[in-house]
């Protein structure tokens, strides 16, 4: 009876491969990346050698063609070492998937070979200074001029901004409303593309974040992904998977902090015995593990629904994202408390995870917007 709730042998193999990669290439270095704001381009590119740059890009396009549960397993495993780096790889995957899923043969041939190998890295550009939760209000304009679109506008909070070579960008090709939004692939070196200063952030120090500024950038019409006016639908479909991945990053980071807290409380002596022996400590650890397991079960179910294109996939993706990111932050906060004053020090990894996971309840749609999505689906007639 429990078989349906167990990972398959192939899924476990994928998970173990990602865990080994993380243990060897991410965990030993993540503290330095955070402290010194190092963007680990070579390490990220080495993940592509395992197929992790094109997890759900089709095999025909050079990807490994896995489902969203397998992607969540990979993101969770890598976030055990560094949520910031894992989330960056997730964003690249989302942009690559959009090109593969909706792009023409020409645009796929133009970009996917280098994205699959991460010779070029991709950003996803939706948010603007005045269009965050209200994504349909974006103002970046793309005006058709012969065989080109002339694009002008600014994108905000772009992971990889200034570093990445490819920007999958939502633009307005008509009047107001979500039905006038289209998707274009814009290259870093196109004339008129520039970047704001690198943002100074609470966490996510291992990845660059900056405005993408577009000043009359001439983008070939062939770089259109999907048809004109389909951009908002494409963006929302991408976010279903992105929400799962960011939830998985919270699970991975929280699991690391739970493991650290268990080890610390077994070793830390107070009043003549390990603090793990105190009932209060055991109750706290028990709640942390219970909540983390519940969040993981919901996220894996939502991932299966997104892979299967189930009618309620968006609601479940929103529920999983909301619950996993809130739970992840709560687990890490309690892990820090169990460490006492030491948890506040950079000598221990807990404070880094506390900072990195805080943004997960904001990006890919705030958790307040997740509640709106869930409630709207529940009350729709």
């Amino acid at each position: 009876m429990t078989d349906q709730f167990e990972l398959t042998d192939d899924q476990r193999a994928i998970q173990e491969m990602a865990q080994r990669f993380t243990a060897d290439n991410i965990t030993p270095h993540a503290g330095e990346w955070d402290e010194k704001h190092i963007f680990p381009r070579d390490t990220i590119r080495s993940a592509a050698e395992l197929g992790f740059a094109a997890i759900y890009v089709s095999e025909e396009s050079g990807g490994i063609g896995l489902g969203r549960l397998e992607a969540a397993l990979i993101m969770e495993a890598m976030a055990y070492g560094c949520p910031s780096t894992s989330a960056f790889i997730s964003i690249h995957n989302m942009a690559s998937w959009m090109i593969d899923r909706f792009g023409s043969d020409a645009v796929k041939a133009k970009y996917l070979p280098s994205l699959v190998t991460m010779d070029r890295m991709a950003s996803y550009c939706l948010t603007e200074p005045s269009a965050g939760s209200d994504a349909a209000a974006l103002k970046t304009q793309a005006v058709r001029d012969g065989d080109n679109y002339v694009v002008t506008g600014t994108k905000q909070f772009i992971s990889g901004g200034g570093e990445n070579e490819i920007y999958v960008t939502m633009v307005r090709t008509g009047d107001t409303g979500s039905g006038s939004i289209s998707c274009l692939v814009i290259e870093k070196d196109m004339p008129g593309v520039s970047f704001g200063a690198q943002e100074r952030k609470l966490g996510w120090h291992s990845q660059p974040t900056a405005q993408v500024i577009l000043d009359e950038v001439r983008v070939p019409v062939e770089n259109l992904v999907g048809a004109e006016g389909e951009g908002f639908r494409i963006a929302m479909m991408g976010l279903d998977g992105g929400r799962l991945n960011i939830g998985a990053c919270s699970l991975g980071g929280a699991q690391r902090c739970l493991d650290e807290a268990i080890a610390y409380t077994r070793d830390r002596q107070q009043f003549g015995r390990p603090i793990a022996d105190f009932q209060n400590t055991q109750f706290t650890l028990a709640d942390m593990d219970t909540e983390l397991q519940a969040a993981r079960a919901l996220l894996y179910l939502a991932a299966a629904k997104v892979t299967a294109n189930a009618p309620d996939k968006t609601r479940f993706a929103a529920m999983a994202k909301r619950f996993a990111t809130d739970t992840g932050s709560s687990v890490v906060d309690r892990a820090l408390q169990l460490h006492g004053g030491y948890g506040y020090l950079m000598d221990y990894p807990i404070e880094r995870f506390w900072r990195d996971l805080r943004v997960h309840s904001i990006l890919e749609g705030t958790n307040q917007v997740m509640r709106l999505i869930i409630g709207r689906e529940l009350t729709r007639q």
Side-chain angles (χ1 to χ4, degrees):
M1 181 164 177
T2 61
D3 288 351
Q4 62 183 308
F5 301 110
E6 296 291 334
L7 299 178
T8 66
D9 290 343
D10 285 346
Q11 288 167 341
R12 289 194 183 280
I14 291 165
Q15 183 183 55
E16 290 168 3
M17 180 171 63
Q19 289 169 341
R20 288 194 300 271
F21 175 81
T22 300
D24 293 341
N25 299 282
I26 297 178
T27 303
H29 311 293
E32 182 182 12
W33 297 343
D34 173 78
E35 183 178 358
K36 298 180 181 179
H37 293 235
I38 295 170
F39 176 45
R41 179 179 284 271
D42 290 342
T43 300
I44 291 170
R45 185 170 285 134
S46 68
E49 296 174 9
L50 301 177
F52 293 170
I55 298 168
Y56 31 83
V57 169
S58 64
E59 293 183 63
E60 293 78 10
S61 296
I64 56 176
L66 298 179
R68 299 309 175 114
L69 176 51
E70 290 81 8
L73 295 174
I74 293 167
M75 296 304 158
E76 182 180 351
M78 290 193 293
Y80 191 90
C82 181
S84 169
T85 301
S86 183
F88 181 91
I89 294 172
S90 166
I91 294 166
H92 174 91
N93 271 273
M94 179 164 61
S96 299
W97 171 80
M98 288 179 175
I99 293 173
D100 181 46
R101 173 69 174 78
F102 300 102
S104 65
D105 289 342
V107 79
K108 286 193 283 189
K110 189 174 181 180
Y111 293 111
L112 283 177
S114 60
L115 293 176
V116 165
T117 59
M118 270 191 168
D119 288 333
R120 291 193 287 186
M121 297 183 187
S123 295
Y124 169 69
C125 303
L126 175 63
T127 300
E128 297 184 357
S130 60
S133 295
D134 186 10
L138 67 84
K139 297 179 180 177
T140 297
Q141 291 284 339
V143 179
R144 182 74 179 261
D145 181 20
D147 292 333
N148 294 285
Y149 289 102
V150 180
V151 183
T152 299
T154 300
K155 295 296 179 178
Q156 183 76 26
F157 303 132
I158 305 305
S159 292
E163 285 281 350
N164 287 355
E165 294 83 9
I166 304 298
Y167 298 86
V168 178
T169 307
M170 302 304 155
V171 299
R172 186 166 297 285
T173 49
D175 296 328
T176 59
S178 61
S180 298
I181 294 173
S182 302
C183 180
L184 289 174
V185 181
I186 299 177
E187 299 180 27
K188 177 181 181 179
D189 294 334
M190 288 178 173
V193 177
S194 62
F195 304 94
Q198 287 297 313
E199 304 289 359
R200 301 168 63 228
K201 309 186 295 285
L202 174 71
W204 276 27
H205 289 167
S206 74
Q207 60 165 282
T209 305
Q211 284 188 336
V212 177
I213 302 166
L214 308 167
D215 183 11
E216 297 188 353
V217 181
R218 299 187 70 84
V219 182
V221 170
E222 74 171 16
N223 280 23
L224 186 68
V225 177
E228 273 199 9
E230 289 188 340
F232 191 76
R233 180 178 70 88
I234 292 170
M236 294 304 103
M237 288 181 67
L239 284 175
D240 279 344
R243 287 164 182 163
L244 295 173
N245 284 351
I246 209 65
C249 288
S250 284
L251 296 179
Q255 185 66 58
R256 168 71 178 282
C257 291
L258 174 57
D259 291 348
E260 294 282 347
I262 292 169
Y264 179 82
T265 57
R266 284 172 173 167
D267 183 64
R268 175 69 168 167
Q269 299 271 335
Q270 290 289 277
F271 306 103
R273 56 181 171 148
I275 61 174
D277 288 353
F278 292 106
Q279 191 177 67
N280 180 68
T281 303
Q282 293 177 3
F283 282 5
T284 300
L285 292 170
D287 285 346
M288 292 161 69
D289 188 42
T290 301
E291 293 164 23
L292 189 55
Q293 295 293 349
R296 181 175 287 118
L298 177 59
L299 189 127
Y300 288 5
L301 172 60
K305 284 180 175 287
V306 171
T307 299
N309 198 30
D312 54 1
K313 64 177 182 177
T314 295
R315 175 164 64 92
F316 270 80
M319 287 194 294
K321 190 268 183 183
R322 200 289 298 169
F323 191 54
T325 55
D326 282 347
T327 298
S329 289
S330 176
V331 167
V332 173
D333 188 71
R334 281 173 282 176
L336 193 153
Q337 190 72 21
L338 287 171
H339 277 71
Y342 292 103
Y344 205 69
L345 301 181
M346 293 179 69
D347 302 274
Y348 292 78
I350 306 298
E351 61 84 31
R352 168 168 62 86
F353 284 90
W354 190 91
R355 289 184 288 105
D356 279 351
L357 264 59
R358 180 60 185 86
V359 75
H360 293 188
S361 62
I362 298 172
L363 52 79
E364 306 285 10
T366 67
N367 283 6
Q368 288 73 26
V369 169
M370 295 305 97
R371 291 178 172 90
L372 286 174
I373 292 170
I374 298 161
R376 183 179 62 214
E377 292 291 326
L378 289 174
T379 58
R380 179 177 293 168
Q381 297 296 320

